[in-house]
Amino acid sequence: MTRPEAIGFIGLGNMGWPMAGNLCKAGFRVIGMDADGERQAAFADTFGAEVAEGAEAFAETDRLITMLPDGRIVADVLVGAGDVLRHLPQGSLVIDMSSGDPSAYETITPEVERLGHAMIDAPVSGGTGGAEAGTLTIMTGGDDAAIDRAMPLFEVMGGKIFRTGGLGSGQAMKALNNLASATALMVTIEVLITAQRFGLDPAMVNSILNVSTGRNNSTDKKIAPHVLSRTFDSGFGLSLMAKDLRTAHAIAERTKTPVPLSDLAVQMAQQASEALGPDADHTAVALWIEERVGDTLKPS
Ligand code: NAD
């Protein structure tokens, strides 16, 4: 009996691990790869998956998923030092599920075409919880026939799947979503500190926001478990949030759209990320805001 064609999966981080794990659990033959060798080995042990020590391991890969920090790293893995594209069988489908600047595809797509592959983008929203539950929102851009080939995988990893247009349109959508989400997180933290200084309990304020018009994804899912708890452990890095905001900002510039409020949000995220370092969770932006204000959130 011939072995089934493999699904390559590069980037087994906070998101990639549960996404690739769900593909394993659904019965797909997965070949995983991560720059962190220990993580890669642990993935193989946990899910009984194959792992790739080099690009040659993808010789039987029919569809390859990338779930890497940003577009520059995706380009490096596919056509730069990683050289993965050249090792895929002709006619493979590359599915970039990372969040990154769509301009990264300018270096990748000429090689995709020259080698006879196809490529779509499919960034996601829903966090590590959505990745574990297989309920991610997937925004996918590219040729319809290519997206059709990815649908059986998307149906395992995602809940809602949107076709957003051409290649890169998913990335634009994702970056703009995260601009809205991150701005709401930061303004919510400012609201809580201001309320506390007025004499209101920030936990009560968040509960009221949650059933009032100030409600947003942060009041609902982030403030109580990750900010007021002081755990700052949502599983989404602040450096990744800052990167998404830079992408959104670049899209605003490209489309010549004046966005003064967003400009400030991008600057704040960037400064917070630089101050708190590469390992900070995005909810730790509260620490940076608190320091500027000179007060700490203390729910009673
Ligand atoms: P992460 O930092 O946890 O994981 C990234 C993984 O990529 C790491 O395991 C790292 O070792 C690996 N890696 C880095 N460079 C590599 C290379 N050259 N070759 C192979 N592996 C390499 O990040 P994450 O939270 O899993 O996010 C991945 C992508 O998904 C990012 O673009 C992020 O913005 C996006 N995203 C994250 C979330 C979230 O809640 N964490 C939600 C939606 C989208």
Side-chain angles (χ1 to χ4, degrees):
M1 202 176 85
T2 54
R3 294 207 297 172
E5 283 164 333
I7 311 298
F9 203 114
I10 308 181
L12 303 168
N14 288 333
M15 294 294 285
W17 176 293
M19 290 163 70
N22 282 337
L23 291 175
C24 294
K25 288 185 211 158
F28 287 98
R29 178 184 162 210
V30 174
I31 303 178
M33 181 188 246
D34 196 282
D36 177 341
E38 277 178 30
R39 200 165 172 91
Q40 179 175 292
F43 179 79
D45 286 349
T46 305
F47 296 104
E50 297 164 57
V51 286
E53 298 305 336
E56 304 74 26
F58 295 115
E60 292 175 29
T61 294
D62 159 67
R63 286 161 288 182
L64 175 82
I65 295 173
T66 45
M67 193 53 177
L68 292 160
D70 60 37
R72 187 189 56 77
I73 295 175
V74 173
D76 190 49
V77 165
L78 294 179
V79 297
D83 201 21
V84 168
L85 275 197
R86 232 168 26 89
H87 290 84
L88 297 175
Q90 195 182 16
S92 292
L93 173 65
V94 179
I95 308 162
D96 181 26
M97 303 192 78
S98 331
S99 312
D101 194 308
S103 65
Y105 298 140
E106 288 164 19
T107 30
I108 302 171
T109 44
E111 275 302 281
V112 167
E113 284 165 19
R114 191 179 69 79
L115 294 163
H117 304 316
M119 181 163 188
I120 60 176
D121 63 333
V124 303
S125 184
T128 53
E132 276 152 27
T135 56
L136 292 166
T137 296
I138 300 178
M139 28 211 124
T140 180
D143 179 65
D144 264 332
I147 294 175
D148 289 345
R149 271 176 81 186
M151 283 307 279
L153 311 179
F154 291 164
E155 278 158 13
V156 170
M157 296 182 282
K160 296 194 171 67
I161 301 154
F162 295 91
R163 298 185 188 224
T164 47
L167 178 69
S169 61
Q171 296 297 358
M173 177 63 234
K174 167 66 184 171
L176 292 169
N177 171 76
N178 278 25
L179 173 60
S181 173
T183 307
L185 170 65
M186 291 188 285
V187 81
T188 300
I189 293 162
E190 289 186 351
V191 163
L192 293 177
I193 296 188
T194 310
Q196 176 173 290
R197 284 189 150 185
F198 187 80
L200 295 161
D201 170 29
M204 179 194 71
V205 172
N206 193 59
S207 302
I208 295 175
L209 290 174
N210 248 335
V211 289
S212 304
T213 50
R215 180 173 187 271
N216 60 66
N217 185 58
S218 291
T219 60
D220 186 23
K221 299 215 165 70
K222 299 180 186 176
I223 297 296
H226 305 297
V227 176
L228 296 180
S229 68
R230 315 303 287 173
T231 53
F232 308 114
D233 59 352
S234 77
F236 177 50
L238 180 56
S239 64
L240 295 177
M241 180 179 103
K243 171 253 326 185
D244 290 337
L245 267 58
R246 289 196 302 274
T247 304
H249 194 251
I251 291 166
E253 280 190 340
R254 208 173 307 161
T255 55
K256 299 191 172 31
T257 314
V259 287
L261 178 59
S262 308
D263 286 344
L264 195 54
V266 177
Q267 281 171 34
M268 287 173 68
Q270 189 61 30
Q271 285 174 25
S273 177
E274 283 163 17
L276 296 174
D279 296 329
D281 190 80
H282 80 295
T283 54
V285 73
L287 293 171
W288 181 80
I289 294 174
E290 286 174 343
E291 195 179 327
R292 280 168 34 128
V293 172
D295 245 322
T296 304
L297 284 167
K298 291 187 202 77
S300 53

